[in-house]
Amino acid sequence: DNGVYSKLISVMGKKGQTRMAMWLFSEMKNSGCRPDASVYNALITAHLHTRDKAKALEKARGYFDKMKGMERCQPNVVTYNILLRAFAQSGKVGEVNALFKDLDISAVSPDVYTFNGVMDAYGKNGMIKEMESVLTRMRINECKPDIITFNLLIDAYGKKQEFEKMEQTFKSLMRSKEKPTLPTFNSMIINYGKARLRDKAEWVFKKMNDMSYTPSFITYECMIMMYGYSGSVSRAREIFEEVVESETVLKGSTLNAMLEVYCLNGLHMEADKLFHNASDFRVQPNASTYKLLYRAYTKADMKEHVQMLMKKMEKDGIVPNKRFFLEALEVFGSRLPGSGSENRKSTGSDRPQDSAKDLVESN
């Protein structure tokens, strides 16, 4: 059954088992089943999950051309969506434009996912002009933007600090039939915050509440970070305390946001105090907590704090990988406490011990 094979090929691809996906494809043909577009789409996706992106794109394009030569396997909108997004992610503007031209003369009609996928890829690459060209193409095809389209534009403009365009997009959203979502507001808050535009970020938060939206923990984390970027540490702490009082279980990411605010503003001792009192807030530090503190303490040349942090990591069962240790040794020019044969064993492999809760990446 083609549906079963396409699902199996897709699963193998997502797991990085491209050879197994190819074997399944061969077995399918040997068993007498004739592959259709869904099977080829799964095969293309499987190749795109490999590390060698250049080779993967070449393979994907090859399958696409092969599909066009088979009546039973003509590319469908899913095929185009997969390929367009993949080439956009790699910044291959020429290939994206060529695929769009091919799509224009085909019997396939693009949908909102076609354009959103490419815009998302371009936006994450900071390719604003290319993103805008896709929006123009979307309008030419009389495909109405949905909330995802608006959010992609707002986020991309915000990250590039093109706030006039971000605000115009938000106004267009408010005039449309679409309604903003929490990610709409969260993106504007954090991007205004990074630019230290506190008043505008606070306006967004007020607008959100006026429209009867309930802030999520992510919204509060954005507000905490916004005040941190603006140097308003006391206000960030107030928001943190409000979250602590309202949440039954505090999220580790919320703790990390407050810790990062302290570190950004040079208040490493306050960060250290909060870290050691984390249990009072019913939250357990995670791998990301240790990573951000390690970087902050190292940058501030707080050797004793790094040493204590490493001991706490070991106590909590979080085993740093080899590169983490090498960076620590390079910074301090000496071996860390307790770095006997046991630690040498742990640094000799990138794999954590069985008792480890997580693996702290070094970058």
Side-chain angles (χ1 to χ4, degrees), residues 42 49 51 78 113 117 140 160 204 226 243 283 286 335 345:
H49 276 92
R51 292 183 179 181
V78 176
Y113 302 105
I140 292 171
K160 281 289 186 178
V204 174
M226 181 275 290
V243 176
V283 61
N286 54 31
R335 295 171 65 183
K345 181 179 179 181

Side-chain angles (χ1 to χ4, degrees), residues 188-203:
M188 294 177 73
I189 289 169
I190 197 65
N191 286 313
Y192 275 140
K194 288 179 179 178
R196 299 185 178 183
L197 297 173
R198 173 177 169 173
D199 290 344
K200 290 198 171 187
E202 289 178 331
W203 177 86

